[in-house]
Amino acid sequence: RKFNWTKMVIISGTPSRWDGPATSLEAFFKEDEIEAEWLVPRNPGWEDLKLLMEDVKRSFQRVVVVLGYEPFYRKVICAGMLAGIPKGMVWLSVGWHKVGWWAEEDAELLELEPTCTPELITEYFNGGIGPSGSGMPTDANMDNPLDCLPGYTSRSFRALFESHAMSLGYPLGENLLPGSPYAEIVGYGADGICTFAYMFREMLITRGYSLSDVIHPTEAVYIEMRDIIKNEIDFWGVSGRVFWEGNNKPGVLSVNQVQDGELRTVASVDLDGVMTDVAGESLIWGDGETAPSSSFMPCPAGTLRSSDGSCSPCPTGTYYYEVLGECIECEVGQFNPYEGMVGEVSCISCSDGTVATEKGSSACTACEAGTISNGKEGNGAFCVDCPIGYHQPLSGAAECSRCAVGSYQSEAAQSYCASCPGSRTTRFFAATSVKDCVCTEGTYESWPIPSSDPYECLSCPEGMTCPEGGRLADWFGYSNNTGDKAYPLLQEQYYSHAYDPVFVFKCLDERDCPGGDPGSCAPKREGIACGRCERKYYYFGGKCNACSEVELTTVLFPILPALGGPLFALLVYTRLMEPLNIRFMDGPKNRALALCFFFLMHFQTLGLINQFNLVLPNLVKIPWEGFAMVNSGIQFLRPECAGGGSLSDFSSMFIMRTSMPLFLAAMFIGNYFIFKILIIWTRHLKLGDDSVFTVGMRVDYTINAFGTLMYTFSIAVLAIAFDLFKCFPHPNGLDSLRVSPDVMCYSDEWNAMIIVGVLAIMVYFVATFALFQWVCHVAPMKYGDPYFRRKWKFLLIKWKPNRWWFGQVFLLKGVFLNLTLVLFKSGALQVLWTAFSLMCYIVFVMVLRPWRHQAANLMDCVVNLSLLSIGLVTIYYADRNEEAENTLDKVLATLTFLPIVIVGMGVLNLIWIWQKSPNTEVVEGLEKALEIEELLVRVSHQGVLSLFHSLMNTTSSERNQILCSLKLVLAESTAVQVPGARRLIQRTAKIADELEDAGKLEVSAAHHHTMLLLHFQRRAQSYASIPEESQFIFGEAAALTYENFESRFLKAMQGGSKGGRPPSFSLTAGADLPALARYAAKTMDPYGEGIVRKVHFEVFAQAMTRSFASLATMSFEVEA
């Protein structure tokens, strides 16, 4: 009534104990028009109690009546505290409780909620109020004498009791109490004993009942005893006046309140219901308020009453829920950075990469590296670990990144992906284990795996394709790989054994080695590098073909060549039996054979180039294989099939191929001796004097026929000679024999043939070249011998007389071409060497023009230029290695500066000539002129008939060259351009005109020219000392003008020298001295400068002397 409370709630404990008081309270307050709500459930458990207190908070109820024992009371306070009920709550209780119960440690409660410590319960319970019987009279009546206990007052008796209870004990020294927890009961205890004493006195003394009747009362006796207490008892006791109204003992009520943790009596209520404040005390609640209402006033929206009773804004991380009037925490995954926000929309969802892991978050925190959060995963409530195979290096990320190819992650929640060891990679993104790391494309994993480096990846060998993840274990079947098997595969034109798959050999033709699995060969091919056909098969057209029944016999080989060889030798012999006559030599047949010769040279060279390390297109490769048949020898006879394939082994085939030229020589020698015998039987037959059956096979013609074949196929023969030393490299470092790729160079099988190979070189190259060199050496001396000419016709007849030795150069070209495959293994270097050899040969042919036929010179250049062009083009298809690259670099640098060096050397040579011999051109020109003069004189002395026969024995091209040269000489000497001459006349002065100016001429100028020349020669011949004569004419001068020289020379001829020296000789009749002087001056001025040099006079005089000496030996009369 004092505070005008209108509502309160009742929370009760044990029903058997507290339901009655609760019911009474409801009825009591109802009479006072105070709403008292008895909350359910009654005697709630801990969880229900917390929900109950949340309801109290939502109803803003401030007055709570708690009916229960101390532990229950503590739970109610703790639940209210957890519900957020502010301090200042009016905790109202009825009856007595142990003093300080709120400060006791409650183990059960701490187990339920560790935050509800005694200190916090005490703080929160401040202001708790409990009206109860005081157990003593009012302070004014404390010293009234007691009716039941004479000699004592309420005050003195209580003091006596407390001294015994807490200090002396009863019996003395026993049953001491630790303080006075129930001080209010002391008076009631004493007054209760007094009540029973008055009742017993009434029953035993006044009413006459026995002790037994009272101890064991009947129902009627019991009712009588009760009525005495309720209706008749009325005395002054320790607790004050003692009497009953019904079941209630009227008495003074104490209003006790906990303030600052201590229980204080702040007021009392007398029997009339009047409450009187205790002097110096006042009611004050935990929030400091002294006149609380029955409910808390609602705080403004967005605020909530705090523990101190004030309205505080909803803290960050919460929002105000108007329906409940509470601050509701934002859900997990949401946050609110602002205070006092209203409505659930105030909670903002965390952005991707951030989370709020707890309710009531005021901010979202970024996920650590290795974790993420987004709308699908985590949804802002928690960070999700990046799974294995993923990573996230950044904090606050929304997505995990897949491990890139080449990395993996075997653990979750990682900020990085581990790189695959070594050069390994992964086949896919998001690899989860180091086992997913495989060798990259172009590398492979060896087997067995080395313990020193289990993750080592080896480079894919040349000729193999190593897929990603390639492992030899997959090939050998030791892999636990359940997916597709991945192991190194062979490329086309490469081979390896199945038991050693990465030891790679290179095949000569991609058709032999199709690639794929190790050990794979084309059908019927076998051996290293698929280098041979199976027995009873032969190789042709890029594949192994089955030998026919005829080929498997010995008919095709060796019977056919044994029978047909002599016939072939005889045919060649008879075709080449023609006289050394120009009509035959320059005839259509020989010209056609010359063309065939060049084409055969062309095909043989292409056959060699086809063996280079080139990767040629089929458009070229297939025709070249056909051209290479020219070099194949007896392969067309299928010797590997003969005798059921018994000769198909390497040794047999190599010996047969190497001995083929010897076999051909044997055919010629055999024919020679056969016909030696035949002519004995055929003498009586008239077969003609020149028939082979009459005269037999002559040695000279036989040698020429065999030599012609060997010379024509010289490149092929030299190829046979060098075959054993033509090796080609494999990627594994070994070399194979080109003619038999299944045979390793320097192996036992190869070494077994070394003697045969060396003998082939010695016979087919060294001995042959030495023999031909001897022939060229003696040819100038023996060429007049018809037998010598016929025997070595094949070697000498093709070349001009002054180039008879050029056949050796031709052979050396074949040697150089064949050495290509011996010296070099790189296709680029092979092509470069071949091009260099052909270039040198072409230069020789162009400069020397050695062939007797001009057309042959042209054809030779065309064929070799064609081959040179082919070589330069094929370098595009050539393989190259580091050695080849370095060599090509050096060659390119050399060719860059070679012209500069050559030009420099030429300039130095010209300077040297100019310094040492400035008159070389004059001297050389004069000597050549006199030599030509001598030859022309000799030719003119042969007579017309002899000259005709000689010219008819030359080729048409030689005759044209002679004619062109004579026309040129005539044009120069007569200053007239003769038809056919191809140069302009530079000097126009005519000696004939000069002679006409000098005097009378009755004969031709040409005749006088010849006469003057002879006079000049005789004059020079008469000189005792040319230097002395030169000194007489020139004196100290090095040169004289044209006129001065002419006068001094004339004076010398007339005997006008110093000392009166007489003339050196008498000129013949008709000599014109002035004309001779002018002729000498004109002759010794070769450049037409009008100057005669002293050195020119001496050179001309010496040349004239030598020329006259040679002419004097001939029976030639000048005058005639």
Side-chain angles (χ1 to χ4, degrees), residues 23-43:
T23 302
S24 299
L25 282 176
E26 275 190 308
F28 174 77
F29 287 123
K30 187 174 184 180
E31 293 178 359
D32 229 3
E33 296 182 355
I34 296 176
E35 182 183 352
E37 182 183 1
W38 187 7
L39 300 180
V40 292
R42 284 76 187 265
N43 192 29

Side-chain angles (χ1 to χ4, degrees), residues 361-420:
S361 297
S362 61
C364 296
T365 57
C367 290
E368 295 180 353
T371 62
I372 61 155
S373 178
N374 54 46
K376 295 181 180 179
E377 298 180 280
N379 198 21
F382 55 90
C383 293
V384 179
D385 291 346
C386 289
I388 58 175
Y390 287 75
H391 77 294
Q392 180 48 256
L394 304 176
S395 59
E399 298 287 344
C400 292
S401 300
R402 296 182 300 178
C403 287
V405 172
S407 61
Y408 69 94
Q409 183 49 261
S410 57
E411 298 180 5
Q414 296 300 310
S415 61
Y416 68 95
C417 290
S419 298
C420 286

Side-chain angles (χ1 to χ4, degrees), residues 563-711:
L563 297 178
L567 296 178
F568 173 75
L570 181 61
L571 177 64
V572 173
Y573 176 86
T574 55
R575 291 299 87 198
L576 296 177
M577 282 184 59
E578 58 185 20
L580 288 176
N581 190 301
I582 195 64
R583 182 168 59 88
F584 296 98
M585 292 167 50
D586 202 25
K589 183 187 76 171
N590 273 351
R591 293 188 180 188
L593 289 176
L595 291 176
C596 293
F597 174 82
F598 285 116
F599 280 118
L600 287 174
M601 290 296 106
H602 180 72
F603 294 153
Q604 291 176 74
T605 306
L606 287 181
L608 277 180
I609 297 176
N610 188 52
Q611 295 181 353
F612 292 175
N613 287 331
L614 307 173
V615 183
L616 297 171
N618 289 332
L619 181 65
V620 175
K621 186 177 186 64
I622 294 174
W624 284 16
E625 287 177 352
F627 299 156
M629 292 295 293
V630 178
N631 298 344
S632 64
I634 57 174
Q635 297 301 114
F636 66 94
L637 296 176
R638 311 287 182 252
E640 58 268 55
C641 296
S646 59
L647 300 178
S648 61
D649 62 285
F650 164 68
S651 300
S652 301
M653 292 297 296
F654 182 76
I655 292 174
M656 284 189 295
R657 174 179 168 83
T658 305
S659 59
M660 185 183 64
L662 298 179
F663 172 79
L664 189 60
M667 294 299 100
F668 279 94
I669 295 173
N671 279 359
Y672 176 80
F673 286 105
I674 289 172
F675 280 97
K676 275 281 189 182
I677 298 173
L678 282 178
I679 60 175
I680 298 175
W681 300 340
T682 58
R683 285 176 181 174
H684 63 283
L685 299 176
K686 295 182 180 180
L687 300 176
D689 295 337
D690 57 348
S691 172
V692 69
F693 294 99
T694 302
V695 299
M697 289 183 66
R698 295 168 52 173
V699 175
D700 50 359
Y701 283 121
T702 302
I703 292 176
N704 178 64
F706 176 72
T708 299
L709 281 178
M710 292 299 99
Y711 202 79

Side-chain angles (χ1 to χ4, degrees), residues 406 408 418-425 434 437-438 453-457:
Y408 69 94
S419 298
C420 286
S423 60
R424 295 198 169 214
T425 187
V434 70
C437 292
V438 298
D453 188 358
Y455 298 107
E456 179 185 23
C457 290

Side-chain angles (χ1 to χ4, degrees), residues 72-335:
F72 179 75
Y73 210 152
R74 284 191 291 265
K75 287 182 180 178
V76 173
I77 296 172
C78 180
M81 180 179 64
L82 294 176
I85 296 175
K87 295 175 185 179
M89 191 74 175
V90 178
W91 300 104
L92 185 60
S93 60
V94 177
W96 297 298
H97 292 87
K98 184 179 180 182
V99 177
W101 59 266
W102 54 84
E104 289 185 357
E105 188 168 310
D106 190 337
E108 182 183 357
L109 179 59
L110 289 172
E111 185 176 353
L112 293 173
E113 180 55 56
T115 61
C116 291
T117 61
E119 293 77 17
L120 199 56
I121 294 291
T122 299
E123 181 182 356
Y124 215 76
F125 188 58
N126 275 328
I129 190 171
S132 62
S134 64
M136 62 184 70
T138 61
D139 191 60
N141 297 318
M142 280 292 290
D143 294 322
N144 291 342
L146 301 181
D147 294 336
C148 180
L149 299 171
Y152 288 93
T153 64
S154 181
R155 192 186 306 277
S156 63
F157 181 81
R158 293 175 68 87
L160 175 64
F161 177 82
E162 289 183 2
S163 66
H164 275 278
M166 293 181 290
S167 301
L168 300 176
Y170 186 87
L172 292 175
E174 298 181 20
N175 300 314
L176 292 172
L177 295 176
S180 180
Y182 296 97
E184 299 88 347
I185 301 177
V186 173
Y188 291 123
D191 290 343
I193 294 173
C194 286
T195 297
F196 277 98
Y198 281 120
M199 183 271 293
F200 271 87
R201 185 179 71 176
E202 180 67 25
M203 289 293 291
L204 293 176
I205 299 175
T206 303
R207 299 186 183 189
Y209 285 95
S210 65
L211 184 61
S212 175
D213 293 334
V214 177
I215 296 174
H216 302 286
T218 63
E219 181 178 355
V221 172
Y222 176 78
I223 292 173
E224 189 177 353
M225 294 170 62
R226 183 194 65 188
D227 289 341
I228 292 172
I229 294 174
K230 288 186 174 184
N231 300 322
E232 299 180 11
I233 296 295
D234 188 356
F235 66 93
W236 192 264
V238 176
S239 61
R241 182 187 173 192
V242 178
F243 69 99
W244 271 264
E245 292 179 354
N247 283 337
N248 182 51
K249 174 194 174 295
V252 177
L253 296 180
S254 296
V255 180
N256 302 314
Q257 189 179 40
V258 177
Q259 296 181 5
D260 295 329
E262 295 182 2
L263 184 64
R264 303 173 71 89
T265 301
V266 294
S268 64
V269 181
D270 60 16
L271 294 180
D272 295 327
V274 177
M275 186 173 69
T276 304
D277 291 336
V278 175
E281 300 291 341
S282 62
L283 289 168
I284 183 169
W285 274 262
D287 57 356
E289 194 171 351
T290 57
S293 61
S294 60
S295 62
F296 291 108
M297 290 297 293
C299 291
T303 63
L304 198 66
R305 197 166 300 279
S306 61
S307 60
D308 61 1
S310 62
C311 290
S312 301
C314 289
T316 59
T318 65
Y319 66 93
Y320 184 76
Y321 187 33
E322 292 180 302
V323 176
L324 299 178
E326 295 181 350
C327 292
I328 305 299
E329 290 181 334
C330 292
E331 294 295 326
V332 174
Q334 296 179 329
F335 75 103

